[in-house]
Amino acid sequence: MKALVLIGGFGTRLRPITYAVPKQLIPLAGKPMLYHVLDLLPRDVDEVVLATGYKADEVDRFVRAHPPPFPVRTVAEAEPLGTGGGMKHAGGGLGETFYLLNSDVIASADLAALGATHRRSPRLGTMALAEVDDTRPYGVAALAEDDRITAFVEKPPPERAPSHWINAGLAVWSRRVLDRIPGGRAVSFEQEIVPGLLAEGVYGFRLRGFWDDAGTRERLLRSQRFLFEAGRAGDRHRPPGSSGPGPIAAAADATADGATFGGPVTLGRGVEVGSGAHLEDCVVMDGARVGRGARVVRSIVGPGAIVDDGRQVVDELVGAASGDR
Ligand code: GTP
């Protein structure tokens, strides 16, 4: 089977970081978000197609420099086509059924089991569903006893949400769905297409473990905590001369002599953390500098950004001053 990964969004909720870098390349627990998503795929997937758009060249360069464990092809959109338009545009050659993944989902999910469930009975699609308290930002499914989806409502007000089971952004679809998406314009797959597919057999696959949409600062950092706890961190290097419980995943050339780490931290390549600085629950991206005695908590420091000596950064997204807009 092949997998189609949607990676063309603007990542507006993570600005200004996403002015400089697509959100899927933000490292969590020492590994870019996109690579944590690809880790979910069964090893027998024979090709991953990345439907790119915003900062497509950067994604392309990155996957060439750091090849994932699957053959990867990128198909870039000249204009944003939305999730459905992106599927239509990039979906040629996907085979009879394919995985469809959002590229900002951090989860404990067995996608081989999702694929097996899909093959168990004739159907058009099987969507992984996560159970959440606040359904407002998501597409919400109503389910029959056999987990057939009987209604799907995108971002309903709480009183109109048919359940607490939401679209987890991980699914298997028959390629026939691509014929149902109009070409040549932006289309939201979830809003415009999915409700019209239900009559042909779309089933839910209920996830039981951790799931999050890592598209906001808070949720991205919560996902990072989960990845460390689950033993799914990337590079676990700890800069010499630093102390504190961490956990920490730092690039080999990051320096932090005399700094302390009070919680989960990722340090990208070339990061310099000054003596006496304290970091917890944060991501500091490539080439950023955290000054002496600064304190960075529950924050993301973007590539090349500078936190001045002694500055307190709490619950912030810090971009480079020049901004790359
Ligand atoms: P926000 O702007 O912060 O909402 O983030 P986003 O742009 O990523 O939007 P959202 O989280 O709703 O997108 C869900 C998934 O679809 C993500 O994996 C996006 O990268 C992807 N996506 C959103 N819009 C497009 C698009 O126009 N084309 C493609 N190829 N993918 C898209």
Side-chain angles (χ1 to χ4, degrees):
M1 251 165 96
K2 299 184 194 303
L4 179 61
V5 181
L6 296 169
I7 184 174
F10 288 102
T12 54
R13 293 167 298 165
L14 285 168
R15 287 177 179 166
I17 308 295
T18 46
Y19 286 130
V21 69
K23 79 175 154 185
Q24 293 81 3
L25 298 185
I26 298 175
L28 290 73
K31 189 190 276 199
M33 187 186 297
L34 171 65
Y35 288 62
H36 286 295
V37 175
L38 297 180
D39 278 349
L40 295 176
L41 285 170
R43 286 294 165 259
D44 59 356
V45 163
D46 52 41
E47 183 181 43
V48 172
V49 180
L50 300 177
T52 56
Y54 180 62
K55 294 198 181 285
D57 291 348
E58 285 193 33
V59 175
D60 214 39
R61 266 199 302 278
F62 196 91
V63 295
R64 281 172 203 276
H66 308 274
F70 304 98
V72 171
R73 183 160 57 93
T74 54
V75 182
E77 290 153 34
E79 297 291 327
L81 292 174
T83 49
M87 290 167 67
K88 179 89 174 175
H89 182 251
L94 278 178
E96 208 35 59
T97 55
F98 62 92
Y99 285 103
L100 176 70
L101 311 185
N102 284 357
S103 49
D104 51 4
V105 168
I106 300 298
S108 150
D110 182 347
L111 295 195
L114 172 63
T117 302
H118 180 82
R119 285 187 292 273
R120 204 166 292 147
S121 64
R123 52 179 70 180
L124 199 57
T126 308
M127 300 173 71
L129 304 174
E131 193 173 25
V132 300
D133 291 331
D134 182 5
T135 57
R136 280 173 301 178
Y138 305 110
V140 189
L143 292 150
E145 262 182 22
D146 63 353
D147 282 345
R148 186 172 174 140
I149 299 178
T150 55
F152 187 79
V153 199
E154 191 64 20
K155 301 184 178 65
E159 65 281 6
R160 292 202 28 235
S163 77
H164 282 275
W165 290 94
I166 57 115
N167 174 15
L170 309 167
V172 175
W173 289 100
S174 154
R175 68 191 294 250
R176 283 184 288 136
V177 299
L178 301 176
D179 301 334
R180 305 289 292 274
I181 303 171
R185 69 165 173 91
V187 179
S188 163
F189 183 61
E190 301 75 16
Q191 285 182 21
E192 293 181 51
I193 307 298
V194 170
L197 301 176
L198 300 182
E200 292 168 62
V202 179
Y203 286 75
F205 176 85
R206 299 179 199 240
L207 299 180
R208 299 289 174 188
F210 180 90
W211 176 89
D212 221 332
D213 147 23
T216 67
R217 177 188 57 79
E218 221 175 357
R219 296 199 216 124
L220 187 149
L221 295 172
R222 189 161 68 197
S223 295
Q224 169 162 271
R225 282 198 293 282
F226 159 74
L227 291 165
F228 273 116
E229 282 162 18
R232 285 171 47 188
D235 193 347
R236 293 294 298 269
H237 180 76
R238 174 182 270 271
S242 61
S243 58
I248 168 154
D253 64 351
T255 58
D257 194 9
T260 56
F261 299 106
V265 171
T266 293
L267 302 182
R269 273 170 298 147
V271 166
E272 293 173 19
V273 181
S275 159
H278 177 80
L279 284 73
E280 60 185 70
D281 241 341
C282 61
V283 172
V284 183
M285 295 179 64
D286 292 356
R289 277 184 23 224
V290 176
R292 293 174 180 207
R295 190 178 145 80
V296 182
V297 177
R298 294 187 302 276
S299 295
I300 303 174
V301 180
I306 294 172
V307 175
D308 292 331
D309 289 357
R311 190 176 144 198
Q312 307 275 317
V313 173
V314 180
D315 297 331
E316 280 186 47
L317 296 166
V318 183
S322 60
D324 173 15
R325 301 173 195 205

